[in-house]
Amino acid sequence: MAGLAAAARARELGKTPVVLEKGTRPGGSMLLSSGVVWRHRSLEDFRAECPSGDPALQTRIVEELDDALAWLESLGAEPVARVTGNPLTVGKRFDARELTDVLLRAAGDVRLGEPFRHAAILATGGFGARLARERGLLLRANPWSEGDGLDYALARGASLTAGLNEFYGRALPSGVDDREYVSAAQVYAQHALVLDDEGRDLGGAAWHESDLVQRLPGGRAWYVGDARARRQSVRDRTVAELVGAARAAGGDVRASEELPFTLPESPKLVEPPFVAVRVRAAVTHTIGGLRIDDRARVLDGDGHAVPGLHAAGADAGGIFTGGYGSGLAAALVFGRIAAETAQR
Ligand SMILES: Cc1cc2nc3c(=O)[nH]c(=O)nc-3n(C[C@H](O)[C@H](O)[C@H](O)COP(=O)(O)OP(=O)(O)OC[C@H]3O[C@@H](n4cnc5c(N)ncnc54)[C@H](O)[C@@H]3O)c2cc1C
């Protein structure tokens, strides 16, 4: 998203940008996403959710997302919802395909199947594909974000942020097709017991559950729910429907009697039958990345700007460190900022 947003903004500013896209289709992970572009309600909330992130970068998202959303609408992107459905956040939901098409048109010259060799603005989506491979986790994102932007910037003296091991994670029932990345995600740890392979309780999760997914031992767990849990809703679907989606996606869904261990006692397991879903941790995008300032300039180890080099989206680290936030919002806000700084 960040590259298309940057190009669209640069064109508005009278430039003639070229977007070089390594993938065989445009839109990166944005095209696969739920399309909810959101922010925490205040900087204080953002700081509490992502305590190790850079307050200067977080401030720009809090202060500029609403204008950036209005800009998206001015380009022709019509929100499908004007609320996120989550009381902790504000933002809008777009149809990911339509959002991609609108930004593509506004970006102008987008060349598919062409990895960049030189760039003023890096927006390669971080290194989720590389991290997933190295750690033996599933990938729940576009397959092209291998860290090419980071490697390019490092060779030019850039420095990296903390949190290089962190990722926005989701539990998937198996290696599902990319059209099922949203629908098959198992996001109900608040209602279920989450157990490791020996049947040990892995504890609770934050509302977004990305914290839990990152600490699943070996990237694997069992989500075990009772009948009461399956009647609970997570946003617009019941847990029973999410379990059904896991089964439909070819996941390992079984009666708890068929588990290779005895279930621990838990207030979450009261009303039988108990159903277990095998889940695996999947990387959506990385959290650590290139160090940038609040003008999207890539910084070296001394905190000086690397001349002529900017980064946005998941290539830029230091925004959500220690927590979780909207990758689409970061890509949109810093994509626009990168274009403005680069043209100056
Ligand atoms: C299933 C799913 C659901 C999601 N839902 C949400 C949501 O509702 N809300 C939200 O905020 N976020 C969501 N996200 C995350 C969001 O999609 C990402 O945070 C966002 O797309 C990151 O933007 P980006 O520009 O950094 O990366 P991308 O959108 O992935 O774009 C990076 C682009 O760089 C290209 N690239 C990589 N290497 C090179 C190279 N060497 N040369 C040229 N091009 C290259 C890639 O092919 C890709 O097209 C979701 C993601 C997924 C997968």
Side-chain angles (χ1 to χ4, degrees), residues 193 195 199 222-227 230 247 252-264 269-278:
L193 197 57
L195 304 174
W222 292 95
Y223 283 16
V224 188
D226 70 358
R230 288 191 294 282
R247 191 180 280 115
D252 182 351
V253 180
R254 52 172 88 176
S256 63
E257 295 76 21
E258 295 168 29
L259 285 169
F261 48 77
T262 308
L263 286 178
L269 298 179
V270 175
E271 194 183 323
F274 307 145
V275 174
V277 178
R278 182 64 156 159

PDB file of all heavy atoms in Angstrom, residues 193 195 199 222-227 230 247 252-264 269-278:
ATOM      1  N   LEU A 193      -9.426 -22.297  25.596  1.00  0.00           N
ATOM      2  CA  LEU A 193      -8.209 -22.630  26.320  1.00  0.00           C
ATOM      3  C   LEU A 193      -7.134 -22.864  25.254  1.00  0.00           C
ATOM      4  O   LEU A 193      -7.372 -23.588  24.278  1.00  0.00           O
ATOM      5  CB  LEU A 193      -8.467 -23.915  27.114  1.00  0.00           C
ATOM      6  CG  LEU A 193      -7.521 -24.255  28.243  1.00  0.00           C
ATOM      7  CD1 LEU A 193      -7.446 -23.131  29.261  1.00  0.00           C
ATOM      8  CD2 LEU A 193      -7.999 -25.540  28.918  1.00  0.00           C
ATOM      9  N   LEU A 195      -3.560 -24.397  24.447  1.00  0.00           N
ATOM     10  CA  LEU A 195      -2.669 -25.401  25.044  1.00  0.00           C
ATOM     11  C   LEU A 195      -1.502 -25.721  24.129  1.00  0.00           C
ATOM     12  O   LEU A 195      -1.660 -25.742  22.896  1.00  0.00           O
ATOM     13  CB  LEU A 195      -3.459 -26.692  25.300  1.00  0.00           C
ATOM     14  CG  LEU A 195      -4.713 -26.547  26.172  1.00  0.00           C
ATOM     15  CD1 LEU A 195      -5.482 -27.869  26.214  1.00  0.00           C
ATOM     16  CD2 LEU A 195      -4.338 -26.102  27.579  1.00  0.00           C
ATOM     17  N   GLY A 199      -0.266 -30.148  26.457  1.00  0.00           N
ATOM     18  CA  GLY A 199      -1.510 -29.839  27.159  1.00  0.00           C
ATOM     19  C   GLY A 199      -1.363 -28.764  28.217  1.00  0.00           C
ATOM     20  O   GLY A 199      -2.240 -28.580  29.056  1.00  0.00           O
ATOM     21  N   TRP A 222      -3.074 -25.792  20.413  1.00  0.00           N
ATOM     22  CA  TRP A 222      -4.459 -26.264  20.274  1.00  0.00           C
ATOM     23  C   TRP A 222      -5.361 -25.220  20.898  1.00  0.00           C
ATOM     24  O   TRP A 222      -5.096 -24.775  22.023  1.00  0.00           O
ATOM     25  CB  TRP A 222      -4.662 -27.593  21.007  1.00  0.00           C
ATOM     26  CG  TRP A 222      -3.936 -28.761  20.415  1.00  0.00           C
ATOM     27  CD1 TRP A 222      -2.713 -29.236  20.790  1.00  0.00           C
ATOM     28  CD2 TRP A 222      -4.394 -29.591  19.343  1.00  0.00           C
ATOM     29  NE1 TRP A 222      -2.372 -30.319  20.017  1.00  0.00           N
ATOM     30  CE2 TRP A 222      -3.389 -30.560  19.123  1.00  0.00           C
ATOM     31  CE3 TRP A 222      -5.538 -29.613  18.551  1.00  0.00           C
ATOM     32  CZ2 TRP A 222      -3.504 -31.546  18.142  1.00  0.00           C
ATOM     33  CZ3 TRP A 222      -5.664 -30.586  17.577  1.00  0.00           C
ATOM     34  CH2 TRP A 222      -4.651 -31.529  17.376  1.00  0.00           C
ATOM     35  N   TYR A 223      -6.413 -24.818  20.186  1.00  0.00           N
ATOM     36  CA  TYR A 223      -7.447 -23.961  20.774  1.00  0.00           C
ATOM     37  C   TYR A 223      -8.612 -24.891  21.123  1.00  0.00           C
ATOM     38  O   TYR A 223      -9.188 -25.526  20.230  1.00  0.00           O
ATOM     39  CB  TYR A 223      -7.932 -22.904  19.775  1.00  0.00           C
ATOM     40  CG  TYR A 223      -7.005 -21.715  19.567  1.00  0.00           C
ATOM     41  CD1 TYR A 223      -5.676 -21.738  19.976  1.00  0.00           C
ATOM     42  CD2 TYR A 223      -7.481 -20.544  18.964  1.00  0.00           C
ATOM     43  CE1 TYR A 223      -4.841 -20.644  19.778  1.00  0.00           C
ATOM     44  CE2 TYR A 223      -6.648 -19.448  18.767  1.00  0.00           C
ATOM     45  CZ  TYR A 223      -5.331 -19.506  19.170  1.00  0.00           C
ATOM     46  OH  TYR A 223      -4.502 -18.427  18.971  1.00  0.00           O
ATOM     47  N   VAL A 224      -8.940 -24.983  22.413  1.00  0.00           N
ATOM     48  CA  VAL A 224     -10.003 -25.898  22.849  1.00  0.00           C
ATOM     49  C   VAL A 224     -11.150 -25.080  23.445  1.00  0.00           C
ATOM     50  O   VAL A 224     -10.941 -24.293  24.381  1.00  0.00           O
ATOM     51  CB  VAL A 224      -9.475 -26.896  23.910  1.00  0.00           C
ATOM     52  CG1 VAL A 224     -10.544 -27.962  24.193  1.00  0.00           C
ATOM     53  CG2 VAL A 224      -8.178 -27.552  23.452  1.00  0.00           C
ATOM     54  N   GLY A 225     -12.332 -25.257  22.880  1.00  0.00           N
ATOM     55  CA  GLY A 225     -13.477 -24.490  23.362  1.00  0.00           C
ATOM     56  C   GLY A 225     -14.630 -25.394  23.752  1.00  0.00           C
ATOM     57  O   GLY A 225     -14.768 -26.506  23.233  1.00  0.00           O
ATOM     58  N   ASP A 226     -15.463 -24.906  24.683  1.00  0.00           N
ATOM     59  CA  ASP A 226     -16.655 -25.671  25.044  1.00  0.00           C
ATOM     60  C   ASP A 226     -17.860 -25.129  24.261  1.00  0.00           C
ATOM     61  O   ASP A 226     -17.722 -24.205  23.445  1.00  0.00           O
ATOM     62  CB  ASP A 226     -16.866 -25.678  26.565  1.00  0.00           C
ATOM     63  CG  ASP A 226     -17.290 -24.333  27.132  1.00  0.00           C
ATOM     64  OD1 ASP A 226     -17.397 -23.357  26.359  1.00  0.00           O
ATOM     65  OD2 ASP A 226     -17.519 -24.259  28.349  1.00  0.00           O
ATOM     66  N   ALA A 227     -19.035 -25.719  24.512  1.00  0.00           N
ATOM     67  CA  ALA A 227     -20.225 -25.340  23.746  1.00  0.00           C
ATOM     68  C   ALA A 227     -20.580 -23.870  23.978  1.00  0.00           C
ATOM     69  O   ALA A 227     -21.007 -23.164  23.066  1.00  0.00           O
ATOM     70  CB  ALA A 227     -21.389 -26.243  24.132  1.00  0.00           C
ATOM     71  N   ARG A 230     -18.466 -21.652  21.888  1.00  0.00           N
ATOM     72  CA  ARG A 230     -18.820 -21.647  20.452  1.00  0.00           C
ATOM     73  C   ARG A 230     -20.039 -20.789  20.154  1.00  0.00           C
ATOM     74  O   ARG A 230     -20.292 -20.438  19.012  1.00  0.00           O
ATOM     75  CB  ARG A 230     -19.013 -23.093  19.951  1.00  0.00           C
ATOM     76  CG  ARG A 230     -17.705 -23.851  19.836  1.00  0.00           C
ATOM     77  CD  ARG A 230     -17.847 -25.174  19.092  1.00  0.00           C
ATOM     78  NE  ARG A 230     -18.669 -26.129  19.801  1.00  0.00           N
ATOM     79  CZ  ARG A 230     -18.274 -26.858  20.847  1.00  0.00           C
ATOM     80  NH1 ARG A 230     -17.044 -26.724  21.316  1.00  0.00           N
ATOM     81  NH2 ARG A 230     -19.087 -27.722  21.429  1.00  0.00           N
ATOM     82  N   ARG A 247     -12.333 -26.125   9.834  1.00  0.00           N
ATOM     83  CA  ARG A 247     -12.613 -27.460   9.289  1.00  0.00           C
ATOM     84  C   ARG A 247     -12.693 -27.392   7.770  1.00  0.00           C
ATOM     85  O   ARG A 247     -12.086 -28.206   7.064  1.00  0.00           O
ATOM     86  CB  ARG A 247     -13.912 -27.989   9.881  1.00  0.00           C
ATOM     87  CG  ARG A 247     -14.164 -29.450   9.609  1.00  0.00           C
ATOM     88  CD  ARG A 247     -15.468 -29.926  10.225  1.00  0.00           C
ATOM     89  NE  ARG A 247     -15.397 -30.220  11.643  1.00  0.00           N
ATOM     90  CZ  ARG A 247     -16.051 -29.546  12.596  1.00  0.00           C
ATOM     91  NH1 ARG A 247     -16.831 -28.538  12.283  1.00  0.00           N
ATOM     92  NH2 ARG A 247     -15.942 -29.894  13.864  1.00  0.00           N
ATOM     93  N   ASP A 252      -7.126 -29.403  11.263  1.00  0.00           N
ATOM     94  CA  ASP A 252      -7.301 -30.538  12.168  1.00  0.00           C
ATOM     95  C   ASP A 252      -8.240 -30.093  13.291  1.00  0.00           C
ATOM     96  O   ASP A 252      -7.834 -29.385  14.216  1.00  0.00           O
ATOM     97  CB  ASP A 252      -5.914 -30.941  12.703  1.00  0.00           C
ATOM     98  CG  ASP A 252      -5.975 -32.152  13.624  1.00  0.00           C
ATOM     99  OD1 ASP A 252      -7.089 -32.584  13.981  1.00  0.00           O
ATOM    100  OD2 ASP A 252      -4.890 -32.649  13.995  1.00  0.00           O
ATOM    101  N   VAL A 253      -9.503 -30.488  13.173  1.00  0.00           N
ATOM    102  CA  VAL A 253     -10.515 -30.134  14.179  1.00  0.00           C
ATOM    103  C   VAL A 253     -11.019 -31.444  14.766  1.00  0.00           C
ATOM    104  O   VAL A 253     -11.476 -32.315  14.022  1.00  0.00           O
ATOM    105  CB  VAL A 253     -11.682 -29.352  13.525  1.00  0.00           C
ATOM    106  CG1 VAL A 253     -12.729 -28.985  14.582  1.00  0.00           C
ATOM    107  CG2 VAL A 253     -11.165 -28.103  12.823  1.00  0.00           C
ATOM    108  N   ARG A 254     -10.919 -31.606  16.084  1.00  0.00           N
ATOM    109  CA  ARG A 254     -11.272 -32.913  16.663  1.00  0.00           C
ATOM    110  C   ARG A 254     -11.924 -32.761  18.041  1.00  0.00           C
ATOM    111  O   ARG A 254     -11.789 -31.732  18.697  1.00  0.00           O
ATOM    112  CB  ARG A 254     -10.030 -33.790  16.771  1.00  0.00           C
ATOM    113  CG  ARG A 254      -8.876 -33.129  17.474  1.00  0.00           C
ATOM    114  CD  ARG A 254      -7.745 -34.103  17.726  1.00  0.00           C
ATOM    115  NE  ARG A 254      -6.786 -34.205  16.642  1.00  0.00           N
ATOM    116  CZ  ARG A 254      -5.672 -34.943  16.706  1.00  0.00           C
ATOM    117  NH1 ARG A 254      -5.415 -35.642  17.789  1.00  0.00           N
ATOM    118  NH2 ARG A 254      -4.831 -34.992  15.698  1.00  0.00           N
ATOM    119  N   ALA A 255     -12.589 -33.838  18.433  1.00  0.00           N
ATOM    120  CA  ALA A 255     -13.153 -33.891  19.781  1.00  0.00           C
ATOM    121  C   ALA A 255     -11.992 -33.936  20.779  1.00  0.00           C
ATOM    122  O   ALA A 255     -10.942 -34.517  20.489  1.00  0.00           O
ATOM    123  CB  ALA A 255     -14.021 -35.133  19.924  1.00  0.00           C
ATOM    124  N   SER A 256     -12.191 -33.330  21.938  1.00  0.00           N
ATOM    125  CA  SER A 256     -11.071 -33.233  22.881  1.00  0.00           C
ATOM    126  C   SER A 256     -10.594 -34.624  23.337  1.00  0.00           C
ATOM    127  O   SER A 256      -9.437 -34.787  23.708  1.00  0.00           O
ATOM    128  CB  SER A 256     -11.463 -32.377  24.081  1.00  0.00           C
ATOM    129  OG  SER A 256     -12.520 -32.987  24.779  1.00  0.00           O
ATOM    130  N   GLU A 257     -11.479 -35.634  23.286  1.00  0.00           N
ATOM    131  CA  GLU A 257     -11.061 -36.991  23.685  1.00  0.00           C
ATOM    132  C   GLU A 257      -9.965 -37.520  22.768  1.00  0.00           C
ATOM    133  O   GLU A 257      -9.220 -38.434  23.130  1.00  0.00           O
ATOM    134  CB  GLU A 257     -12.245 -37.978  23.625  1.00  0.00           C
ATOM    135  CG  GLU A 257     -13.384 -37.699  24.616  1.00  0.00           C
ATOM    136  CD  GLU A 257     -14.271 -36.531  24.206  1.00  0.00           C
ATOM    137  OE1 GLU A 257     -14.281 -36.189  23.013  1.00  0.00           O
ATOM    138  OE2 GLU A 257     -14.930 -35.944  25.075  1.00  0.00           O
ATOM    139  N   GLU A 258      -9.865 -36.959  21.577  1.00  0.00           N
ATOM    140  CA  GLU A 258      -8.846 -37.443  20.626  1.00  0.00           C
ATOM    141  C   GLU A 258      -7.523 -36.690  20.740  1.00  0.00           C
ATOM    142  O   GLU A 258      -6.618 -36.869  19.924  1.00  0.00           O
ATOM    143  CB  GLU A 258      -9.388 -37.313  19.191  1.00  0.00           C
ATOM    144  CG  GLU A 258     -10.587 -38.207  18.915  1.00  0.00           C
ATOM    145  CD  GLU A 258     -11.260 -37.839  17.597  1.00  0.00           C
ATOM    146  OE1 GLU A 258     -10.575 -37.344  16.685  1.00  0.00           O
ATOM    147  OE2 GLU A 258     -12.485 -38.020  17.511  1.00  0.00           O
ATOM    148  N   LEU A 259      -7.418 -35.812  21.726  1.00  0.00           N
ATOM    149  CA  LEU A 259      -6.145 -35.100  21.914  1.00  0.00           C
ATOM    150  C   LEU A 259      -5.120 -36.046  22.554  1.00  0.00           C
ATOM    151  O   LEU A 259      -5.508 -36.952  23.318  1.00  0.00           O
ATOM    152  CB  LEU A 259      -6.350 -33.884  22.828  1.00  0.00           C
ATOM    153  CG  LEU A 259      -7.059 -32.691  22.177  1.00  0.00           C
ATOM    154  CD1 LEU A 259      -7.458 -31.655  23.236  1.00  0.00           C
ATOM    155  CD2 LEU A 259      -6.167 -32.044  21.115  1.00  0.00           C
ATOM    156  N   PRO A 260      -3.835 -35.835  22.288  1.00  0.00           N
ATOM    157  CA  PRO A 260      -2.817 -36.745  22.834  1.00  0.00           C
ATOM    158  C   PRO A 260      -2.466 -36.444  24.290  1.00  0.00           C
ATOM    159  O   PRO A 260      -1.433 -36.881  24.772  1.00  0.00           O
ATOM    160  CB  PRO A 260      -1.614 -36.491  21.908  1.00  0.00           C
ATOM    161  CG  PRO A 260      -1.808 -35.120  21.376  1.00  0.00           C
ATOM    162  CD  PRO A 260      -3.278 -34.874  21.328  1.00  0.00           C
ATOM    163  N   PHE A 261      -3.266 -35.663  24.993  1.00  0.00           N
ATOM    164  CA  PHE A 261      -3.003 -35.349  26.403  1.00  0.00           C
ATOM    165  C   PHE A 261      -4.343 -35.157  27.106  1.00  0.00           C
ATOM    166  O   PHE A 261      -5.389 -35.045  26.454  1.00  0.00           O
ATOM    167  CB  PHE A 261      -2.148 -34.080  26.537  1.00  0.00           C
ATOM    168  CG  PHE A 261      -2.650 -32.925  25.702  1.00  0.00           C
ATOM    169  CD1 PHE A 261      -3.755 -32.174  26.097  1.00  0.00           C
ATOM    170  CD2 PHE A 261      -2.019 -32.595  24.500  1.00  0.00           C
ATOM    171  CE1 PHE A 261      -4.215 -31.111  25.318  1.00  0.00           C
ATOM    172  CE2 PHE A 261      -2.479 -31.548  23.716  1.00  0.00           C
ATOM    173  CZ  PHE A 261      -3.575 -30.800  24.130  1.00  0.00           C
ATOM    174  N   THR A 262      -4.289 -35.146  28.430  1.00  0.00           N
ATOM    175  CA  THR A 262      -5.508 -34.936  29.226  1.00  0.00           C
ATOM    176  C   THR A 262      -5.719 -33.438  29.397  1.00  0.00           C
ATOM    177  O   THR A 262      -4.769 -32.696  29.678  1.00  0.00           O
ATOM    178  CB  THR A 262      -5.335 -35.578  30.622  1.00  0.00           C
ATOM    179  OG1 THR A 262      -4.911 -36.929  30.410  1.00  0.00           O
ATOM    180  CG2 THR A 262      -6.641 -35.564  31.397  1.00  0.00           C
ATOM    181  N   LEU A 263      -6.948 -32.997  29.248  1.00  0.00           N
ATOM    182  CA  LEU A 263      -7.226 -31.567  29.379  1.00  0.00           C
ATOM    183  C   LEU A 263      -7.038 -31.100  30.819  1.00  0.00           C
ATOM    184  O   LEU A 263      -7.470 -31.799  31.750  1.00  0.00           O
ATOM    185  CB  LEU A 263      -8.678 -31.272  28.978  1.00  0.00           C
ATOM    186  CG  LEU A 263      -9.013 -31.309  27.495  1.00  0.00           C
ATOM    187  CD1 LEU A 263     -10.504 -31.029  27.302  1.00  0.00           C
ATOM    188  CD2 LEU A 263      -8.191 -30.288  26.722  1.00  0.00           C
ATOM    189  N   PRO A 264      -6.447 -29.918  31.009  1.00  0.00           N
ATOM    190  CA  PRO A 264      -6.380 -29.391  32.376  1.00  0.00           C
ATOM    191  C   PRO A 264      -7.762 -28.883  32.817  1.00  0.00           C
ATOM    192  O   PRO A 264      -8.618 -28.615  31.978  1.00  0.00           O
ATOM    193  CB  PRO A 264      -5.396 -28.220  32.244  1.00  0.00           C
ATOM    194  CG  PRO A 264      -5.416 -27.826  30.820  1.00  0.00           C
ATOM    195  CD  PRO A 264      -5.818 -29.034  30.022  1.00  0.00           C
ATOM    196  N   LEU A 269     -13.679 -24.478  30.321  1.00  0.00           N
ATOM    197  CA  LEU A 269     -14.213 -25.755  29.823  1.00  0.00           C
ATOM    198  C   LEU A 269     -15.276 -26.254  30.795  1.00  0.00           C
ATOM    199  O   LEU A 269     -14.982 -26.978  31.748  1.00  0.00           O
ATOM    200  CB  LEU A 269     -13.078 -26.774  29.674  1.00  0.00           C
ATOM    201  CG  LEU A 269     -11.984 -26.411  28.666  1.00  0.00           C
ATOM    202  CD1 LEU A 269     -10.916 -27.501  28.627  1.00  0.00           C
ATOM    203  CD2 LEU A 269     -12.563 -26.195  27.273  1.00  0.00           C
ATOM    204  N   VAL A 270     -16.502 -25.848  30.543  1.00  0.00           N
ATOM    205  CA  VAL A 270     -17.596 -26.178  31.458  1.00  0.00           C
ATOM    206  C   VAL A 270     -18.661 -27.008  30.749  1.00  0.00           C
ATOM    207  O   VAL A 270     -19.076 -28.056  31.243  1.00  0.00           O
ATOM    208  CB  VAL A 270     -18.228 -24.873  32.020  1.00  0.00           C
ATOM    209  CG1 VAL A 270     -19.451 -25.199  32.881  1.00  0.00           C
ATOM    210  CG2 VAL A 270     -17.206 -24.076  32.820  1.00  0.00           C
ATOM    211  N   GLU A 271     -19.054 -26.556  29.581  1.00  0.00           N
ATOM    212  CA  GLU A 271     -20.202 -27.171  28.915  1.00  0.00           C
ATOM    213  C   GLU A 271     -19.737 -28.031  27.738  1.00  0.00           C
ATOM    214  O   GLU A 271     -19.345 -27.516  26.696  1.00  0.00           O
ATOM    215  CB  GLU A 271     -21.123 -26.035  28.416  1.00  0.00           C
ATOM    216  CG  GLU A 271     -22.489 -26.505  28.001  1.00  0.00           C
ATOM    217  CD  GLU A 271     -23.329 -25.348  27.443  1.00  0.00           C
ATOM    218  OE1 GLU A 271     -23.247 -24.205  27.931  1.00  0.00           O
ATOM    219  OE2 GLU A 271     -24.060 -25.609  26.470  1.00  0.00           O
ATOM    220  N   PRO A 272     -19.740 -29.356  27.869  1.00  0.00           N
ATOM    221  CA  PRO A 272     -19.298 -30.200  26.754  1.00  0.00           C
ATOM    222  C   PRO A 272     -20.298 -30.143  25.589  1.00  0.00           C
ATOM    223  O   PRO A 272     -21.442 -29.700  25.813  1.00  0.00           O
ATOM    224  CB  PRO A 272     -19.234 -31.600  27.366  1.00  0.00           C
ATOM    225  CG  PRO A 272     -19.988 -31.524  28.649  1.00  0.00           C
ATOM    226  CD  PRO A 272     -20.184 -30.116  29.029  1.00  0.00           C
ATOM    227  N   PRO A 273     -19.938 -30.584  24.397  1.00  0.00           N
ATOM    228  CA  PRO A 273     -18.650 -31.184  24.067  1.00  0.00           C
ATOM    229  C   PRO A 273     -17.551 -30.135  23.873  1.00  0.00           C
ATOM    230  O   PRO A 273     -17.811 -29.023  23.470  1.00  0.00           O
ATOM    231  CB  PRO A 273     -18.954 -31.897  22.736  1.00  0.00           C
ATOM    232  CG  PRO A 273     -20.076 -31.120  22.122  1.00  0.00           C
ATOM    233  CD  PRO A 273     -20.892 -30.600  23.266  1.00  0.00           C
ATOM    234  N   PHE A 274     -16.324 -30.595  24.151  1.00  0.00           N
ATOM    235  CA  PHE A 274     -15.157 -29.735  23.964  1.00  0.00           C
ATOM    236  C   PHE A 274     -14.534 -30.066  22.602  1.00  0.00           C
ATOM    237  O   PHE A 274     -14.317 -31.236  22.296  1.00  0.00           O
ATOM    238  CB  PHE A 274     -14.115 -29.971  25.064  1.00  0.00           C
ATOM    239  CG  PHE A 274     -14.680 -29.865  26.458  1.00  0.00           C
ATOM    240  CD1 PHE A 274     -14.203 -30.674  27.479  1.00  0.00           C
ATOM    241  CD2 PHE A 274     -15.690 -28.955  26.748  1.00  0.00           C
ATOM    242  CE1 PHE A 274     -14.720 -30.576  28.763  1.00  0.00           C
ATOM    243  CE2 PHE A 274     -16.222 -28.853  28.031  1.00  0.00           C
ATOM    244  CZ  PHE A 274     -15.731 -29.673  29.037  1.00  0.00           C
ATOM    245  N   VAL A 275     -14.265 -29.021  21.828  1.00  0.00           N
ATOM    246  CA  VAL A 275     -13.717 -29.224  20.480  1.00  0.00           C
ATOM    247  C   VAL A 275     -12.353 -28.546  20.388  1.00  0.00           C
ATOM    248  O   VAL A 275     -12.190 -27.403  20.838  1.00  0.00           O
ATOM    249  CB  VAL A 275     -14.679 -28.654  19.403  1.00  0.00           C
ATOM    250  CG1 VAL A 275     -14.050 -28.727  18.017  1.00  0.00           C
ATOM    251  CG2 VAL A 275     -16.001 -29.411  19.426  1.00  0.00           C
ATOM    252  N   ALA A 276     -11.383 -29.248  19.804  1.00  0.00           N
ATOM    253  CA  ALA A 276     -10.017 -28.724  19.694  1.00  0.00           C
ATOM    254  C   ALA A 276      -9.671 -28.416  18.232  1.00  0.00           C
ATOM    255  O   ALA A 276     -10.005 -29.199  17.337  1.00  0.00           O
ATOM    256  CB  ALA A 276      -9.032 -29.751  20.241  1.00  0.00           C
ATOM    257  N   VAL A 277      -9.024 -27.283  18.027  1.00  0.00           N
ATOM    258  CA  VAL A 277      -8.566 -26.893  16.691  1.00  0.00           C
ATOM    259  C   VAL A 277      -7.054 -26.726  16.743  1.00  0.00           C
ATOM    260  O   VAL A 277      -6.522 -26.011  17.598  1.00  0.00           O
ATOM    261  CB  VAL A 277      -9.214 -25.562  16.235  1.00  0.00           C
ATOM    262  CG1 VAL A 277      -8.700 -25.150  14.859  1.00  0.00           C
ATOM    263  CG2 VAL A 277     -10.729 -25.663  16.234  1.00  0.00           C
ATOM    264  N   ARG A 278      -6.379 -27.409  15.837  1.00  0.00           N
ATOM    265  CA  ARG A 278      -4.929 -27.266  15.730  1.00  0.00           C
ATOM    266  C   ARG A 278      -4.645 -25.933  15.030  1.00  0.00           C
ATOM    267  O   ARG A 278      -5.198 -25.676  13.956  1.00  0.00           O
ATOM    268  CB  ARG A 278      -4.386 -28.420  14.877  1.00  0.00           C
ATOM    269  CG  ARG A 278      -2.895 -28.437  14.725  1.00  0.00           C
ATOM    270  CD  ARG A 278      -2.278 -28.641  16.051  1.00  0.00           C
ATOM    271  NE  ARG A 278      -0.953 -29.200  16.005  1.00  0.00           N
ATOM    272  CZ  ARG A 278      -0.118 -29.078  17.025  1.00  0.00           C
ATOM    273  NH1 ARG A 278      -0.459 -28.417  18.114  1.00  0.00           N
ATOM    274  NH2 ARG A 278       1.079 -29.624  16.972  1.00  0.00           N
TER     275      ARG A 278
END
